[in-house]
Amino acid sequence: EKGGFEHFMLKEIYEQPRSIKDCMRGRIYPEEGKVQLGGIKEFAEKLKNIDRIIIVACGTSWHAGLVGEYLIEEYARIPVEVEYASEFRYRNPIITEKDVVIAISQSGETADTMAAIEMAKEKGATIFGICNVAGASIPRLTHAGVYTHAGPEIGVASTKAFTAQVTVLTLMAFYMAQQKGTITTSKMIELLTELDNIPEKIQMSLESNDLIKEVAAQIKDSTNCLFLGRGSGFPVALEGALKLKEISYIHAEGYPAAEMKHGPIALIDEEMPVVFIATQNSSYEKVISNIQEVKARKGKVIAIVTQGDTEVKKMADYCIEIPDANEAFLPLLATIPLQLLSYHIAVMRGCNVDQPRNLAKSVTVE
Ligand code: M6R
């Protein structure tokens, strides 16, 4: 049942080229520069005139929401707020009939996310769901939605469901942009052609597995670890940190790289590994100066870099390459090595990776 893999988590990490392909199937038309999302088609007109979107979720799904915020604002130019479902529901939030709420949940059974949906629905908002489990409670509560089609996820640590959620949010961002006319057809052709090739690039990222294992061996005995990124690399850093803490029990934190100097920099010494998302995109130069700040304090730098990078390689202790891609697709690619890194560290520490202590696959209590 684990398909020859030692753990479900590893199997699910390796399934990602296929799960992302399944998630896009019948939804993207690169040659025409079109996205079709049957699940929310009925609301196509409404999407032209909405003032804002509120995304509600918990845990890893909330991280996917942060990536969604970046993409929807960038391409569809609709303001987005991303809320922890548990905070949102207890706050008497301001919601109107003009709002669209997107609830993201792998299991479709998370109690706080369900309660947030019920509240927003009462106040008249339109609710979209992004779920993995067909027929679960959340898809039954929403007005419309888009399934992630990642297939059953058994490992408690979410991996392929996360990248499928990010894929759906990418499609939603492009779909909304298409409806609102904030994107040209030629730009859509360019983006969708590239998106179509992302599964292959994920396959290439998986080929760094042996190198990642070596890096894991070097940092497995750490008690703390920092993950830093900018732009859409920030939610990737948060997700990398969550993965490491939940399965290896190493204390890890994700931060926007520029926030390091406002506090976490005090933690850095030769015992502290710092994982940077340092790919070649709009924030590359800025991230490089953050790496210098860490090296000046003798921190151990592990960097996720674009294939062929030379600058970061001069400074970092370990570099893990991912294929070059448009910034929009960076979260999909940069997440893969971080999943593998936490997996190997957890295995080396003798942890139960598929069923970490104190955690359940779906959190049905409030
Ligand atoms: O099923 P959901 O996506 O609603 O679950 C939300 C969180 O409980 C979940 O993502 C959790 O953080 C995972 N264990 C992360 O790997």
Side-chain angles (χ1 to χ4, degrees):
E1 59 191 359
K2 291 184 198 140
F5 289 94
E6 208 183 323
H7 297 98
F8 282 110
M9 182 182 177
L10 192 61
K11 170 176 177 266
E12 288 159 5
I13 291 173
Y14 272 83
E15 273 172 1
Q16 290 173 107
R18 188 205 44 77
S19 56
I20 291 178
K21 215 179 242 165
D22 288 347
C23 178
M24 297 192 295
R25 182 165 300 121
R27 293 172 171 169
I28 65 165
Y29 298 85
E31 278 124 60
E32 295 152 54
K34 278 229 143 30
V35 173
Q36 260 177 30
L37 292 174
I40 57 170
K41 190 168 74 194
E42 273 180 74
F43 294 89
E45 277 305 306
K46 183 178 172 101
L47 289 174
K48 291 181 181 162
N49 292 308
I50 55 174
D51 291 340
R52 65 165 182 167
I53 291 172
I54 303 164
I55 297 181
V56 294
C58 304
T60 285
S61 299
W62 183 79
H63 297 153
L66 291 179
V67 176
E69 171 181 33
Y70 175 91
L71 292 166
I72 295 170
E73 292 195 345
E74 173 76 15
Y75 292 100
R77 310 301 296 155
I78 302 168
V80 180
E81 281 166 41
V82 188
E83 303 262 8
Y84 281 117
S86 57
E87 287 296 315
F88 178 76
R89 58 176 291 209
Y90 290 117
R91 211 189 42 230
N92 192 16
I94 301 154
I95 309 166
T96 72
E97 288 90 22
K98 287 181 82 181
D99 291 326
V100 168
V101 171
I102 303 178
I104 310 173
S105 175
Q106 186 286 129
S107 62
E109 302 294 346
T110 301
D112 281 318
T113 310
M114 285 172 63
I117 294 173
E118 273 158 358
M119 190 182 76
K121 217 170 154 184
E122 260 167 45
K123 297 189 188 237
T126 300
I127 323 284
F128 292 170
I130 299 179
C131 287
N132 195 43
V133 178
S137 304
I138 291 178
R140 282 186 273 126
L141 280 175
T142 54
H143 295 112
V146 180
Y147 279 115
T148 41
H149 295 313
E153 189 179 67
I154 311 294
V156 164
S158 184
T159 54
K160 63 173 181 172
F162 173 73
T163 49
Q165 289 165 342
V166 170
T167 304
V168 166
L169 285 157
T170 307
L171 298 179
M172 277 192 173
F174 293 165
Y175 183 75
M176 290 174 190
Q178 169 182 300
Q179 291 312 113
K180 287 196 64 187
T182 51
I183 196 164
T184 62
T185 306
S186 61
K187 185 73 192 166
M188 276 284 263
I189 293 174
E190 181 193 316
L191 287 166
L192 294 179
T193 306
E194 196 171 339
L195 181 58
D196 207 19
N197 283 322
I198 290 294
E200 265 167 61
K201 290 187 178 177
I202 289 185
Q203 191 64 51
M204 287 157 72
S205 309
L206 290 167
E207 280 156 26
S208 301
N209 186 45
D210 290 344
L211 167 68
I212 295 170
K213 211 167 161 176
E214 284 168 33
V215 177
Q218 298 301 315
I219 60 171
K220 70 173 189 359
D221 296 320
S222 309
T223 43
N224 292 289
C225 189
L226 264 183
F227 287 76
L228 303 175
R230 284 175 180 254
S232 62
F234 165 51
V236 173
L238 290 176
E239 174 59 9
L242 177 61
K243 224 74 312 172
L244 186 65
K245 69 188 125 187
E246 73 180 328
I247 62 169
S248 77
Y249 318 139
I250 294 176
H251 171 239
E253 290 201 56
Y255 254 91
E259 276 290 309
M260 181 180 63
K261 57 183 166 301
H262 298 283
I265 199 164
L267 294 167
I268 294 170
D269 61 14
E270 49 281 298
E271 304 294 318
M272 176 67 112
V274 185
V275 181
F276 274 96
I277 316 302
T279 48
Q280 279 160 19
N281 53 53
S282 54
S283 53
Y284 183 60
E285 297 299 330
K286 297 277 180 195
V287 172
I288 286 185
S289 53
N290 298 135
I291 295 178
Q292 281 161 342
E293 289 156 12
V294 171
K295 281 316 301 173
R297 287 155 187 90
K298 304 199 166 52
K300 241 185 261 168
V301 171
I302 297 117
I304 309 301
V305 298
T306 307
Q307 216 157 42
D309 181 280
T310 53
E311 284 307 295
V312 177
K313 276 190 192 144
K314 290 181 202 151
M315 294 176 278
D317 298 82
Y318 310 100
C319 281
I320 302 163
E321 293 191 336
I322 56 171
D324 191 20
N326 185 301
E327 206 162 337
F329 311 123
L330 167 72
L332 288 174
L333 296 172
T335 298
I336 310 297
L338 302 188
Q339 294 171 342
L340 287 169
L341 185 66
S342 29
Y343 171 77
H344 290 301
I345 292 175
V347 171
M348 287 170 191
R349 288 167 69 96
C351 300
N352 184 347
V353 276
D354 283 336
Q355 277 186 300
R357 66 185 182 205
N358 309 338
L359 284 169
K361 185 63 187 162
S362 55
V363 183
T364 51
V365 291
E366 304 190 351

